[in-house]
Amino acid sequence: MWGGRFAQGPAAVMREINASLPFDKRLWRQDIAGSIAHARMLGAQGILSAADAEVIIGGLEAVAAEYEAGDLPEDLDLEDIHMATETRLAEKIGPVAGRLHTARSRNDQVATDFRLWVRDAMDEVLGALRTLQRALVARAGEHTDAVMPGFTHLQSAQPVTLGHHLMAYYEMVERDCSRFADARARMNRSPLGSAALAGTGFPIDRHMTAQALGFDGPTDNSLDSVSDRDFALDYLMAAGQCALHLSRLAEEFVIWASQPFGFISLPDAYSTGSSIMPQKRNPDAAELVRGHAGRIIGCMTSLCITMKGLPLAYSKDMQDDKPPVFEAHDLLGLAITAMTGMVETTTFRTDRMRALAQSGFATATDLADWLVREGNVPFREAHHITGRTVKAAEEAGVGLAELPLETLRAIDERIDERVYAVLTVDASVASRRSHGGTAPEQVRARIAQAQAALDGDVAP
């Protein structure tokens, strides 16, 4: 490729460290698409003859057919997928293949190919996340009235419904979708035609190639175009935050599947056994989703460190931009698919959830609120009274609803028999009617909105 300048070939280690073909061959579809768009534009602009442009396009389509059949190159001497494709094109159509690289550089070529790949990756993730949301909405709809403990600090706090709990993850995933969608819109500009760093003297039409490749238009600064990897960082940052959410849900499934909780029974398809303990049923799929989050965040950190000190424009360090993105995308896809399967097929033991929701004095706040409403007691005083009531119930070994009225009145004479109506978990849940609350009517309304959004009836 640069034999006119160099008299000797590279050292063996240089050949190995310099080659990116083992990983960037994943870009072959985008590389072919970009090259076809470039060749067609060169022909339209008269930079190439129409005949040469058609021969090149036909040759590229033939190379693509070989790649599709699995005949991808492995020769490190070819360095990357761009040179591999150009070399194979020359073998098929002869010297006219050398005209394809007119008015472009590998710098803008790889920037374009990588953007196209990341854009496709974002579309793939968005589709997978919508499938996960549909699973969450469906299971939440089955359990809008199922009472379970709500936790803070992993301590019993207030009763909630399982539907409300699952819909919390719908909201997290909705924010993930918005981050990927925002990043996709921001990155959808074409660097093709920026050449090495300064643009080109040929009369190219960058708007034509941008349109052909589905971009909103060309980028506006050639230096920035070839050196920008914000789109890859945006993908990784969105992927990292998405992985955090998946990890939190996975952690809940791990905890809920344990015998002390017993909230769920995971299906065989997402569980493993032990080589020594025949009774074991391990939530390995959930644990791996949790573990993958660390690797995805590591990929994000890797590219941040690579990019942090690079001057304009292109530096060879940027060849290391693709492995972390590829790895993160593969891991995220696995995690979303596994988590979706678990949500769809897990058995929720709502009887066990209800039993534990009734423990831990989870309706204590309801007693305090009742004192405020019915006894005109300032909340801080009501909080203190309720604390004494909880202590009395704890010493008696009963729940708040089982305390005799005389015991309650001995603590505060403003308490009367009406208080028992608010001390059940069902009453507690039903009372949380504020917007976004856990009351079944509120949960059903949000599920309906979410389902309509997923069906495309309204904006998410």
Side-chain angles (χ1 to χ4, degrees), residues 46-125:
I47 300 170
L48 295 184
S49 69
D52 283 351
E54 287 307 311
V55 169
I56 290 171
I57 291 169
L60 288 166
E61 290 171 344
V63 173
E66 291 181 352
Y67 289 173
E68 190 69 59
D71 190 17
L72 280 161
E74 296 287 348
D75 187 353
L76 295 186
D77 286 334
L78 298 175
E79 288 196 12
D80 55 37
I81 189 62
H82 323 296
M83 291 308 301
T85 298
E86 188 174 325
T87 299
R88 184 59 181 143
L89 181 65
E91 292 170 355
K92 282 189 166 295
I93 67 173
V96 69
R99 298 186 183 277
L100 173 60
H101 210 53
T102 305
R104 77 173 182 184
S105 162
R106 280 194 299 176
N107 292 358
D108 63 331
Q109 186 180 0
V110 67
T112 303
D113 293 355
F114 197 22
R115 277 189 190 236
L116 290 170
W117 192 95
V118 171
R119 189 178 69 185
D120 291 342
M122 288 178 176
D123 291 342
E124 186 179 328
V125 170

Side-chain angles (χ1 to χ4, degrees), residues 104-359:
R104 77 173 182 184
S105 162
R106 280 194 299 176
N107 292 358
D108 63 331
Q109 186 180 0
V110 67
T112 303
D113 293 355
F114 197 22
R115 277 189 190 236
L116 290 170
W117 192 95
V118 171
R119 189 178 69 185
D120 291 342
M122 288 178 176
D123 291 342
E124 186 179 328
V125 170
L126 281 165
L129 288 176
R130 291 305 186 200
T131 301
L132 173 56
Q133 285 186 304
R134 290 186 182 92
L136 288 165
V137 168
R139 299 311 304 273
E142 296 171 13
H143 298 292
T144 54
D145 297 287
V147 177
M148 67 172 290
F151 298 99
T152 61
H153 309 277
L154 208 57
Q155 302 291 310
S156 184
Q158 293 177 320
V160 296
T161 65
L162 176 55
H164 191 55
H165 194 110
L166 292 172
M167 286 301 291
Y169 285 97
Y170 170 90
E171 303 294 346
M172 294 185 206
V173 176
E174 184 59 36
R175 293 193 295 274
D176 293 325
C177 289
S178 72
R179 273 183 282 273
F180 281 111
D182 288 348
R184 190 194 191 285
R186 189 164 46 249
M187 60 86 72
N188 201 35
R189 312 285 289 187
S190 173
L192 191 58
S194 299
L197 74 162
T200 178
F202 289 96
I204 61 173
D205 185 347
R206 293 189 64 205
H207 292 274
M208 178 181 175
T209 51
Q211 183 178 21
L213 295 171
F215 289 111
D216 296 330
T219 52
D220 294 322
N221 184 288
S222 60
L223 281 166
D224 178 55
S225 300
V226 299
S227 61
D228 168 41
R229 293 298 183 270
D230 285 2
F231 61 92
L233 288 166
D234 280 351
Y235 175 85
L236 289 173
M237 290 175 184
Q241 198 146 359
C242 180
L244 290 178
H245 291 153
L246 295 172
S247 182
R248 294 182 72 181
L249 180 55
E251 170 70 359
E252 301 239 50
F253 273 41
V254 171
I255 293 172
W256 291 357
S258 67
Q259 283 79 11
F261 270 76
F263 284 4
I264 63 173
S265 177
L266 285 170
D268 290 351
Y270 296 95
S271 305
T272 65
S274 165
S275 63
I276 189 173
M277 294 171 285
Q279 84 282 9
K280 291 296 294 296
R281 185 184 188 85
N282 299 326
D284 280 11
E287 291 173 353
L288 287 167
V289 169
R290 190 176 61 186
H292 284 0
R295 293 174 63 187
I296 292 168
I297 293 166
C299 291
M300 177 189 72
T301 303
S302 171
L303 186 54
C304 285
I305 299 302
T306 295
M307 296 301 299
K308 74 174 183 63
L310 298 186
L312 293 176
Y314 180 82
S315 297
K316 195 67 171 180
D317 313 45
M318 292 167 69
Q319 181 169 288
D320 285 339
D321 57 357
K322 287 169 281 297
V325 176
F326 294 160
E327 180 182 359
H329 181 66
D330 292 346
L331 292 171
L332 185 62
L334 283 172
I336 295 171
T337 301
M339 209 66 248
T340 300
M342 282 182 275
V343 170
E344 289 173 337
T345 59
T346 288
T347 299
F348 293 100
R349 296 182 56 195
T350 53
D351 55 341
R352 174 68 175 166
M353 291 181 178
R354 170 176 282 274
L356 288 188
Q358 294 170 331
S359 66

Side-chain angles (χ1 to χ4, degrees), residues 137 141 144 167 170 441-455 457-458:
V137 168
T144 54
M167 286 301 291
Y170 170 90
E441 64 192 69
Q442 286 292 326
V443 176
R444 281 190 283 270
R446 182 58 186 135
I447 288 172
Q449 292 172 342
Q451 189 62 63
L454 290 169
D455 291 342
D457 295 337
V458 297

